[in-house]
Amino acid sequence: MKGVRTVLLVGLLALSGCMSLVFAKSDFEQLPAGTYKLDLTHASIVWKVSHLGLSDYVARFADFDASIDYKPDDISASKVVASINPMSIQTAYPNAQEKDFDKTLATEKGWFNATTFASIDFVSTRIEMTSESTASMTGDLTFLGVTKPVTLEVVFNGAMLKQPFSGKPTMGFSATTTVDRTEWGMSKYAPNIGAEVEVLIEGEFAKLDE
């Protein structure tokens, strides 16, 4: 029995070693260059805004897309492009669909006015690494027909040369930014509904086959 236990232990250790190779993070500098597409099944855009200074109202967008033109030899030369469908707002407002609350927020002039401005767009203009795992990314945000620069603080969560489920090179990020909505012309009910909107982004990007 002792011999059997030894064989089993060796086998388990070997298997553990193989699994660690599959799931281990690798430096994102080692990932191949190319276009990386957002995996929508592992992504979210959530935003928060103050309500009368009493609480933060929280909502999300359900329909969005993004890609990275990734250059590992010079990460600062990489480019990020993203777009959001403002019609995809989801809130926790009670009976939101029945009362058309989400639709009103998405389409009404003074709010997202999505019937006139069908997309919220971002294009990066500068990426500055602030540590091995963080970066400051500046870009142009086009919202309600107005384009202004914003800066996102980005945290690099990890990378895999071969993600175990898709088999593709994959990288994952978290990002945050705070924007003053009135600078883009959305001033309705400010300051009772806060001017500053905190945005929290999560995303995994998988390399496209080329």
Side-chain angles (χ1 to χ4, degrees), residues 186-209:
M186 184 193 281
S187 57
K188 192 166 185 174
Y189 298 150
N192 292 322
I193 305 299
E196 290 193 342
V197 180
E198 184 181 0
V199 184
L200 303 95
I201 302 166
E202 298 287 339
E204 295 182 18
F205 292 78
K207 190 176 186 301
L208 290 180
D209 296 328

Side-chain angles (χ1 to χ4, degrees), residues 4 6 36 62 82 91 132 135 156 172 174 196 204:
V4 172
T6 301
Y36 286 72
T91 70
E132 290 185 356
F156 169 74
S174 302
E196 290 193 342
E204 295 182 18

Side-chain angles (χ1 to χ4, degrees), residues 72-200:
D73 293 337
D74 183 6
I75 293 173
S76 64
S78 300
K79 191 157 193 147
V80 178
V81 176
S83 62
I84 300 170
N85 176 6
M87 285 296 296
S88 68
I89 292 171
Q90 293 181 350
T91 70
Y93 193 87
N95 303 316
Q97 291 185 340
E98 178 184 331
K99 298 180 180 180
D100 286 334
F101 182 78
D102 290 358
K103 184 178 179 181
T104 297
L105 189 60
T107 60
E108 190 173 286
K109 189 175 181 180
W111 291 121
F112 287 87
N113 198 7
T115 53
T116 301
F117 303 102
S119 183
I120 302 169
D121 299 301
F122 174 84
V123 179
S124 69
T125 55
R126 180 174 62 86
I127 299 175
E128 179 184 356
M129 297 299 299
T130 52
S131 75
E132 290 185 356
S133 60
T134 59
S136 181
M137 179 170 66
T138 300
D140 291 328
L141 176 66
T142 301
F143 175 45
L144 296 176
V146 177
T147 301
K148 287 182 174 291
V150 299
T151 298
L152 293 88
E153 299 307 321
V154 180
V155 176
F156 169 74
N157 296 322
M160 292 181 176
L161 291 171
K162 187 176 181 180
Q163 202 258 36
F165 301 110
S166 69
K168 297 180 179 181
T170 302
M171 60 181 81
F173 299 92
S174 302
T176 58
T177 189
T178 299
V179 297
D180 183 340
R181 64 187 178 95
T182 65
E183 292 184 0
W184 280 265
M186 184 193 281
S187 57
K188 192 166 185 174
Y189 298 150
N192 292 322
I193 305 299
E196 290 193 342
V197 180
E198 184 181 0
V199 184
L200 303 95

Side-chain angles (χ1 to χ4, degrees), residues 61-72:
F61 294 108
D63 183 16
F64 51 94
D65 199 7
S67 64
I68 303 173
D69 180 10
Y70 184 61
K71 302 182 184 301

